[in-house]
Amino acid sequence: MNRALLKVAIILLASSITFVQASYSKETFSPTIPKTWDEAALADWATPVAGLNVRPTHISAKEYYSLPVENLRTYPVYFPGREPEGYWEKLQRVGPKPLIETEKLKTESDWIDAGRIVFEEADDLHLRTTAPELIARARDPKQFEGRQPLPDGSVSDLRWVPTKNGVALSIPNCRSCHLLYLPDGAHVPGAPTFGSPSPGSGGRSGMVRPLQTALRSVTGGPPFLMGPENFGNWLYQAYGVPWRKDDIHERVKAISEAEYNLWINAAVRGGGVPRWNGSPYYSAKMPDLIGIKDRKYIDHTATHLHRGVGDLMRYAALISFAETADFGPHHMLAPTTKRGQARLSDGALYALALYVYSLKPPPNPNPFDEKAKAGQKIFAREGCIGCHTPPLYTNNKLTLAEGFTPPKERAATLDILPISVGTDPGLALATRKGTGYYKTPSLKGVWYRGHYLHDGSVASLEEMFDPDRLRETHKPGGWSPPGAETRSIKGHEFGLRLSAQERAELIAFLRTL
């Protein structure tokens, strides 16, 4: 065989091997799906609660798996006048369709795409309603006055769900908090919905809170439907910390819905929403899910470990269907409060987790120029890499909330850096999400995320490094209590003593991450 023929033969053989490998890969992807509600994995998953030094009590695996599996496709809600022709009539005829069909998934990319569908379409299962007055309101032009749709004419915070009992109205689950729309119409899956330095209109309908209230659920989408108690008692079930002396959440028992809405609006200004076990008084901004695969803890206060895909599945299930309500001897639910009675399958949660793991940041428009290079040197010189260690720009450790001393019998699962950066300790000490710790956040993506510190008090990197924020006369750009025109934003003083030029160079570098 001459050299030319030999070369052709080698190329054909290599191509055949590549084709066989690719075909084999496509045909044999059979994932081992972790059991979501696994008692052994749950045993040391949660971080003990500050003030009690016990882990919150999760519902049992038996109770979790007794919840029926739901798997229904959902459809966009359009602004009046923007629906495709015949769309509403089509929804009446189409009937219930499966959200995903895991038995048809053959490749890893199939699973990831199925996870995208779960991320974009899955709804808050306990908040579906066929109430005629709410459905009519979602189609009433008056509801949308003064609001702008997304580029395709839809809204971002409502979904239609054809069910066996007719078309229901619901609220999207993941995308409500983790799908950022930019002014140019582009969207960033996984990025926080609120808090971007340049957010788009968001296409929000303004119906979420009225729908939640009508269905006896508090803001933040917890999987509980309240009983006939008054509004304040609903809120105390969500936020009360009875083991804490002088618990600030005693106030919510007498709060009006109008006053509560002021606190909700304040949280949104800081890029967050008070979730179940959180607090309207100690805000927490929405997290960025991009890059979560490399992070060891979940939540600002490291409420749960992140040991792999099973833990991400577990956390999605926790906040959607299995949220915690028992803390040592303290049982927070009233006898008339009911947990939602549906869940996604383990397969759907696995697909969702794979999709979240696959998310990438948007293209970074900030150049790594001479200014940014100078900022990189300042970043290293000032010791920032000790906590924000490249390439993840986090050391994946926990810092102490100001005033917190870890118990001697602390969990062996926690990697603690025994310092405090002095930020507001309220979330970490005075709520049911309080562990006494704050995790060291990654700085990757700070250019698009917006709102900084765990409570979103700081609205820009310029404000973060402005010494004026330490003064009581400072006007915060992000979260502040209702009615507070000025206040100091304390803590994390690193970089505040740099010259104006050095601060600008450091910010230029941070925006390239």
Side-chain angles (χ1 to χ4, degrees):
M1 182 181 292
N2 62 38
R3 289 187 176 183
L5 290 174
L6 180 61
K7 185 175 181 180
V8 170
I10 292 171
I11 291 173
L12 290 174
L13 178 61
S15 299
S16 299
I17 292 172
T18 301
F19 176 77
V20 170
Q21 287 176 333
S23 300
Y24 179 77
S25 174
K26 288 181 180 179
E27 295 299 326
T28 61
F29 182 76
S30 301
T32 301
I33 299 174
K35 185 178 180 182
T36 300
W37 221 244
D38 179 86
E39 297 284 8
L42 288 168
D44 61 353
W45 179 47
T47 304
V49 179
L52 287 176
N53 198 29
V54 298
R55 292 183 172 90
T57 303
H58 298 108
I59 66 172
S60 68
K62 181 179 179 180
E63 183 178 359
Y64 179 85
Y65 284 108
S66 71
L67 299 174
V69 170
E70 186 61 272
N71 184 43
L72 288 184
R73 186 179 177 186
T74 72
Y75 300 82
V77 172
Y78 288 94
F79 270 60
R82 297 294 301 273
E83 283 185 359
E85 185 176 354
Y87 179 72
W88 181 244
E89 291 73 19
K90 177 183 176 181
L91 289 177
Q92 312 306 307
R93 298 192 304 268
V94 70
K97 300 292 183 184
L99 179 67
I100 62 171
E101 297 175 275
T102 56
E103 66 277 8
K104 295 182 179 180
L105 305 179
K106 304 298 183 183
T107 68
E108 186 173 9
S109 62
D110 288 344
W111 278 91
I112 291 173
D113 193 56
R116 177 191 59 78
I117 294 172
V118 176
F119 181 90
E120 293 182 355
E121 293 194 17
D123 62 312
D124 280 328
L125 304 177
H126 58 288
L127 290 178
R128 289 180 189 168
T129 178
T130 55
E133 63 275 14
L134 291 172
I135 289 177
R137 186 170 173 179
R139 293 180 53 75
D140 185 353
K142 292 181 180 179
Q143 174 64 40
F144 299 89
E145 290 178 354
R147 300 178 182 274
Q148 295 296 319
L150 297 174
D152 66 355
S154 69
V155 303
S156 62
D157 58 353
L158 296 174
R159 301 289 292 184
W160 295 121
V161 191
T163 75
K164 63 182 181 181
N165 297 318
V167 177
L169 180 67
S170 193
I171 298 171
N173 192 345
C174 305
R175 64 179 287 164
S176 284
C177 295
H178 302 291
L179 184 59
L180 172 64
Y181 289 88
L182 299 175
D184 62 1
H187 62 282
V188 185
T193 299
F194 302 119
S196 166
S198 56
S201 67
R204 306 193 78 78
S205 68
M207 277 199 62
V208 170
R209 269 181 269 163
L211 191 153
Q212 289 173 326
T213 300
L215 297 176
R216 308 191 317 280
S217 177
V218 299
T219 295
F224 299 109
L225 302 179
M226 306 300 185
E229 297 86 10
N230 65 37
F231 182 72
N233 284 334
W234 291 6
L235 298 184
Y236 188 75
Q237 291 179 67
Y239 307 127
V241 188
W243 57 89
R244 184 173 173 84
K245 184 180 179 181
D246 300 323
D247 176 25
I248 192 174
H249 301 97
E250 287 287 338
R251 300 179 188 177
V252 300
K253 293 180 179 179
I255 200 172
S256 68
E257 190 167 354
E259 183 183 353
Y260 178 63
N261 284 339
L262 294 177
W263 287 96
I264 297 297
N265 293 336
V268 170
R269 284 197 303 273
V273 168
R275 295 195 61 85
W276 184 271
N277 291 332
S279 173
Y281 305 120
Y282 304 111
S283 191
K285 67 180 181 182
M286 295 175 188
D288 185 10
L289 301 182
I290 299 172
I292 193 173
K293 186 176 182 179
D294 297 316
R295 298 171 197 158
K296 288 176 58 176
Y297 304 99
I298 301 176
D299 269 354
H300 297 294
T301 53
T303 57
H304 295 82
L305 300 176
H306 182 220
R307 300 162 295 194
V309 68
D311 281 343
L312 188 56
M313 294 166 58
R314 223 158 270 128
Y315 191 77
L318 177 81
I319 61 177
S320 300
F321 340 112
E323 187 61 276
T324 309
D326 292 340
F327 301 82
H330 303 281
H331 309 287
M332 301 311 304
L333 298 185
T336 53
T337 296
K338 305 299 181 186
R339 185 182 296 276
Q341 292 298 299
R343 63 178 176 89
L344 293 178
S345 69
D346 285 358
L349 291 171
Y350 178 74
L352 173 63
L354 288 186
Y355 174 68
V356 172
Y357 275 4
S358 77
L359 293 175
K360 305 296 182 185
N364 193 327
N366 301 289
F368 188 67
D369 54 17
E370 293 304 315
K371 188 175 182 180
K373 290 177 182 178
Q376 185 180 39
K377 293 179 180 178
I378 294 168
F379 187 83
R381 184 195 76 198
E382 294 296 308
C384 304
I385 59 176
C387 290
H388 302 288
T389 311
L392 300 179
Y393 288 91
T394 174
N395 59 12
N396 262 327
K397 294 186 178 185
L398 307 181
T399 60
L400 306 179
E402 189 175 33
F404 178 69
T405 301
K408 293 180 180 180
E409 298 80 20
R410 61 177 177 267
T413 52
L414 305 181
D415 190 358
I416 301 168
L417 186 66
I419 65 170
S420 172
V421 298
T423 52
D424 184 272
L427 183 68
L429 293 181
T431 75
R432 297 186 330 225
K433 285 186 177 288
T435 60
Y437 309 103
Y438 288 119
K439 69 180 182 182
T440 305
S442 171
L443 299 183
K444 296 183 73 172
V446 292
W447 67 271
Y448 67 79
R449 295 203 310 250
H451 283 72
Y452 307 103
L453 303 180
H454 62 268
D455 59 7
S457 293
V458 176
S460 68
L461 289 173
E462 284 75 13
E463 184 181 11
M464 184 70 191
F465 293 104
D466 183 357
D468 180 73
R469 71 171 172 84
L470 300 180
R471 301 186 179 100
E472 291 296 337
T473 54
H474 179 71
K475 293 185 177 181
W479 180 83
S480 265
E485 294 285 330
T486 64
R487 69 179 183 90
S488 66
I489 304 174
K490 298 179 180 178
H492 201 283
E493 298 185 17
F494 308 103
L496 295 185
R497 294 171 182 82
L498 298 174
S499 68
Q501 178 179 335
E502 287 178 320
R503 290 200 301 269
E505 290 169 343
L506 178 59
I507 289 170
F509 168 64
L510 293 176
R511 287 203 170 111
T512 68
L513 298 180

